[in-house]
Amino acid sequence: MGTELLAPLDLAFWHLESDAHPMHLGALAVFAPAPGATPDHVLDLLRTRAAAIPRLRMCVRDVLLPVGGAAWAVDKDFDVHRHVRRVTVGDGDFMAGATRLAGELMEQPLGRGLPPWQMYLIGGAGDGPFAVLVKLHHALADGMRAVAIGAGIFDEIAAATARSAARGRPAVPPRSWLPDPREVAGMALGRIGEVGRALGVGASVVRAGRLDLRGASALTAPSSGTRRLATADLDATALQRIRRVEGGTANDILLAVVAGALRRWMGERGEALPGTDPRALVPVSRRRPGGTVTGNRLSGYLLDLPVGAADPRERLRAVRGAMDRNKAAGPLKGAGAVAVLADQLHPLAHRFGAPLAANAARMLFDLLVTSVPLPRSALSLGGCPLSALYPMAPLARGQSLAVALSTYGGRVHVGLVADGKALPDLDRLAGAVAEEFEELRALVTGGRVAEPVT
């Protein structure tokens, strides 16, 4: 790969970061053991496959033009050993130990002079399951792009990539950071046409902002820079049954479950329900299928999570109605459109305006809830089958909770990332997600509510 400019939104993510507010996303992939797959073998495999992914050799460098811009460039001193490491957890519950350790690792910013990613092979004390934590800077990839990059470590994807390379399939050349002179006139005309669009988007963002920052709660606590992770697992077959009865989308159901979990969790904490429902930002990909754009292409919808509604079906219907209105208006309306607005700004605006933008997130939404699509086929690493993959979304400044969901192997895997001091009881919130899903399933399908697993 050569050199390519950071897309405007990537540049924004790059400058939004601080030591206390790292802007990386991640995933915790859990694997079952397989005969002959020793930790040393898996570690070598991870390093070999990660080194073979061109995007993971790229680092960020400042450029002269455009002023304030930055570009992706190949790290000539790339050493995969700096990026792929092995850590272990002690005896006891492997998942509990791996999740705790992953939280500590997600807390650490990525080195800015190197390609912005890390992988950790997390092993237990014996020959049981192991996990791989992947950290990618948000400037390097959005959720869909992160899946495409990270998938290169799996046996099935690595084999297909090797076959393509053997056939000599030409690589798609990256976009140069210096535009072709013949494109300059067209770019100028395009910018003129985009001014009106930018003004419209900006006005939409302003209208969506809130002057009242709601009452004090765990979701509005000051950021401490600490991170805590928790996970939950839901039955994907039951999710589809609920969808067939109630209509809407699987994402609507999961959003309603998150709303119910927040209600249950607040009640258990002894917190009064807020007078105004907490607002979620639900990211929306603007990436076109088959497109060659490598930068982030995101917008988002705003959703007031109906925690004030006591009935799970009522919450689901409220979510469905709100999301239907969001989709009818399109992704250029509301605070989520701030990502689209970033595309219209000069690089200097991102470089110097990032601190102001970072502090503005609290005025727009309270938490992030996102769904990450995964391949439907079975995946493995060194012959060890993938049993679960929990996506981890980044926390914006002033945010205490982000919830990410993905479906694989008949299960919906929920990854919760929280500020460790604001939400020390994140495990309880993860449990509430599973309990709320089961209650909704029982109400819709007429089944008995299962006893919670202890």
Side-chain angles (χ1 to χ4, degrees):
M1 297 180 71
T3 304
E4 64 176 80
L5 282 176
L6 267 72
L9 188 54
D10 299 343
L11 192 62
F13 286 140
W14 188 248
H15 291 307
L16 282 170
E17 182 174 65
S18 68
D19 287 344
H21 303 91
M23 284 299 295
H24 50 253
L25 46 81
L28 184 65
V30 182
F31 297 86
T38 65
D40 288 341
H41 170 69
V42 174
L43 184 63
D44 288 342
L45 204 57
L46 269 178
R47 287 173 172 164
T48 299
R49 290 178 178 172
I53 299 172
R55 199 73 188 166
L56 296 185
R57 290 176 170 267
M58 307 294 280
C59 56
V60 176
R61 298 283 186 261
D62 290 339
V63 296
L64 294 176
L65 294 173
V67 177
W72 292 108
V74 175
D75 182 5
K76 296 180 181 179
D77 299 318
F78 177 78
D79 182 357
V80 73
H81 292 80
R82 295 173 176 172
H83 298 270
V84 183
R85 302 171 185 173
R86 181 185 174 192
V87 292
T88 59
V89 296
D91 295 330
D93 186 328
F94 171 74
M95 271 305 300
T99 304
R100 175 192 54 77
L101 181 57
E104 296 173 0
L105 295 171
M106 286 292 286
E107 197 174 292
Q108 303 169 9
L110 293 162
R112 292 176 75 84
L114 300 171
W117 65 275
Q118 291 281 350
M119 290 186 191
Y120 297 91
L121 173 62
I122 302 175
D127 297 328
F130 65 91
V132 174
L133 174 67
V134 180
K135 292 169 53 178
L136 299 172
H137 198 285
H138 210 341
L140 183 66
D142 56 21
M144 292 181 66
R145 184 68 179 170
V147 171
I149 293 174
I153 69 171
F154 294 112
D155 299 338
E156 296 76 11
I157 309 299
T161 302
R163 288 193 296 270
S164 296
R167 290 195 295 268
R169 178 178 296 177
V172 178
R175 178 176 177 267
S176 171
W177 63 275
L178 285 176
D180 188 312
R182 293 171 296 181
E183 298 177 357
V184 172
M187 291 169 62
L189 290 174
R191 281 293 177 187
I192 293 173
E194 289 168 351
V195 170
R197 179 187 179 198
L199 291 174
V201 171
S204 179
V205 172
V206 170
R207 287 194 299 271
R210 302 168 302 183
L211 294 179
D212 67 308
L213 297 185
R214 316 290 171 98
S217 72
L219 298 181
T220 62
S223 299
S224 68
T226 59
R227 291 292 180 270
R228 187 174 180 87
L229 306 185
T231 62
D233 292 270
L234 313 176
D235 186 343
T237 301
L239 177 68
Q240 293 305 320
R241 290 197 191 106
I242 298 170
R243 183 183 179 187
R244 284 195 294 269
V245 174
E246 292 291 325
T249 68
N251 202 45
D252 294 341
I253 297 167
L254 294 172
L255 288 166
V257 167
V258 170
L262 288 172
R263 176 187 173 88
R264 181 183 294 247
W265 173 71
M266 290 176 180
E268 292 178 353
R269 281 176 137 235
E271 289 187 16
L273 293 177
T276 306
D277 289 329
R279 178 181 288 179
L281 176 64
V282 184
V284 177
S285 175
R286 296 188 294 127
R287 193 181 301 280
R288 295 181 179 178
T292 58
V293 176
T294 57
N296 279 285
R297 300 287 293 171
L298 290 172
S299 182
Y301 294 136
L302 288 176
L303 175 68
D304 289 337
L305 294 171
V307 299
D311 181 74
R313 298 179 83 167
E314 182 183 346
R315 288 195 293 269
L316 175 54
R317 288 160 188 164
V319 167
R320 282 184 54 196
M323 289 301 289
D324 286 346
R325 290 190 293 273
N326 275 330
K327 293 168 188 175
L332 301 186
K333 302 294 184 182
V338 71
V340 181
L341 184 61
D343 288 342
Q344 319 301 321
L345 299 181
H346 191 277
L348 279 175
H350 292 301
R351 186 176 291 269
F352 295 111
L356 294 175
N359 290 318
R362 181 66 195 90
M363 297 179 63
L364 300 176
F365 58 95
D366 300 298
L367 71 157
L368 177 77
V369 184
T370 183
S371 293
V372 180
L374 294 181
R376 295 184 179 181
S377 58
L379 299 171
S380 60
L381 174 62
C384 301
L386 175 68
S387 55
L389 193 150
Y390 302 97
M392 304 293 177
L395 284 182
R397 189 189 301 265
Q399 308 297 313
S400 299
L401 176 65
V403 183
L405 313 102
S406 64
T407 302
Y408 174 81
R411 306 290 293 175
V412 179
H413 303 294
V414 185
L416 299 95
V417 179
D419 184 284
K421 290 186 177 179
L423 278 77
D425 55 345
L426 185 65
D427 289 341
R428 184 60 219 122
L429 178 56
V433 169
E435 292 161 12
E436 283 297 321
F437 180 81
E438 179 60 25
E439 181 174 349
L440 178 61
R441 181 203 64 77
L443 286 173
V444 171
T445 63
R448 184 177 62 86
V449 177
E451 293 295 327
V453 177
T454 59

